[in-house]
Amino acid sequence: AQSVAQPEDQVNVAEGNPLTVKCTYSVSGNPYLFWYVQYPNRGLQFLLKYITGDNLVKGSYGFEAEFNKSQTSFHLKKPSALVSDSALYFCAVRDGGRDDKIIFGKGTRLHILP
Amino acid sequence: GAGVSQSPSNKVTEKGKDVELRCDPISGHTALYWYRQSLGQGLEFLIYFQGNSAPDKSGLPSDRFSAERTGGSVSTLTIQRTQQEDSAVYLCASSLGSLAASETQYFGPGTRLLVL
């Protein structure tokens, strides 16, 4: 069975600084990896995904994530944080090639300090 | 186009009562998921429907929880004899469901359940 871990409950970053939100995963096959964001009082929104190809994936709102197979990681990054990036971020994984469910991490709350 | 819709948006019930939560997925999406998000917690997987296959019920926390999907479209999550610990936001998501396609999920706004 697949699993995903987000080791940080909360990340604080000053506005304008680069940010990283960490995610590690475990699957038996090839991973499909996703990042979703949940803004206050709003539903979950898709940010980006890795299925195959380039390890660096670019997504919405200037976010990107790097797939690292040897470290089984898929960290979310942004070069310059905005206060409006403050939200709850979820990493998710699916075992590619299998008709299987998608599992979410517990989420990381990102605070961007003005 | 229309996204995933859920009803009701809010539900307050008394302990011991049964509740039904509804999800209308995006038209043409064969995969449908239910998750639970408790205050301060992440998304807890509950159940997954894929086409005509038997649903994956491995995330249902107890036999008080059940779900069905009629005609491959609308889904209903039923909680019997509700308990206070059932209070949470219940999220529904749908996706195209093709093994050949990447599985981007589209989430509904959720149903906020409060059990008194």
Side-chain angles (χ1 to χ4, degrees), chain B residues 25-102:
Chain B
I26 293 173
S27 178
H29 281 192
T30 62
L32 187 147
Y33 308 76
W34 282 99
Y35 295 90
R36 179 168 68 176
Q37 186 176 23
S38 302
L39 187 62
Q41 302 294 316
L43 269 70
E44 177 187 4
F45 166 78
L46 297 178
I47 189 169
Y48 163 50
F49 296 90
Q50 169 58 303
N52 295 321
S53 302
D56 180 344
K57 304 179 181 181
S58 61
L60 293 178
S62 77
D63 59 7
R64 296 186 295 104
F65 287 73
S66 63
E68 62 179 20
R69 190 177 184 192
T70 54
S73 181
V74 173
S75 177
T76 302
L77 177 69
T78 301
I79 309 174
Q80 296 178 311
R81 304 181 303 280
T82 52
Q83 303 295 312
Q84 289 181 332
E85 59 263 29
D86 298 335
S87 297
V89 177
Y90 290 82
L91 295 170
C92 176
S94 70
S95 68
L96 281 171
S98 167
L99 284 177
S102 55

Side-chain angles (χ1 to χ4, degrees), chain B residues 8-30:
Chain B
S9 55
N10 290 280
K11 176 71 176 179
V12 180
T13 190
E14 294 179 347
K15 177 182 174 181
K17 299 286 188 181
D18 297 351
V19 295
E20 285 189 351
L21 311 180
R22 177 186 169 106
C23 173
D24 284 86
I26 293 173
S27 178
H29 281 192
T30 62

Side-chain angles (χ1 to χ4, degrees), chain A residues 17-84:
Chain A
N17 283 3
L19 69 86
T20 298
V21 183
K22 296 179 180 177
C23 172
T24 59
Y25 66 90
S26 174
V27 296
S28 56
N30 292 322
Y32 287 3
L33 295 156
F34 306 82
W35 276 101
Y36 286 80
V37 59
Q38 187 176 37
Y39 296 104
N41 299 317
R42 293 172 64 179
L44 270 79
Q45 299 177 30
F46 169 77
L47 268 182
L48 51 79
K49 63 189 175 188
Y50 170 83
I51 304 302
T52 187
D54 289 342
N55 291 340
L56 186 63
V57 179
K58 294 188 182 297
S60 306
Y61 311 120
F63 283 93
E64 58 189 27
E66 185 170 11
F67 171 63
N68 187 316
K69 187 173 183 178
S70 63
Q71 297 186 2
T72 62
S73 67
F74 189 57
H75 301 332
L76 181 70
K77 300 180 180 182
K78 187 173 182 179
S80 179
L82 300 173
V83 172
S84 58

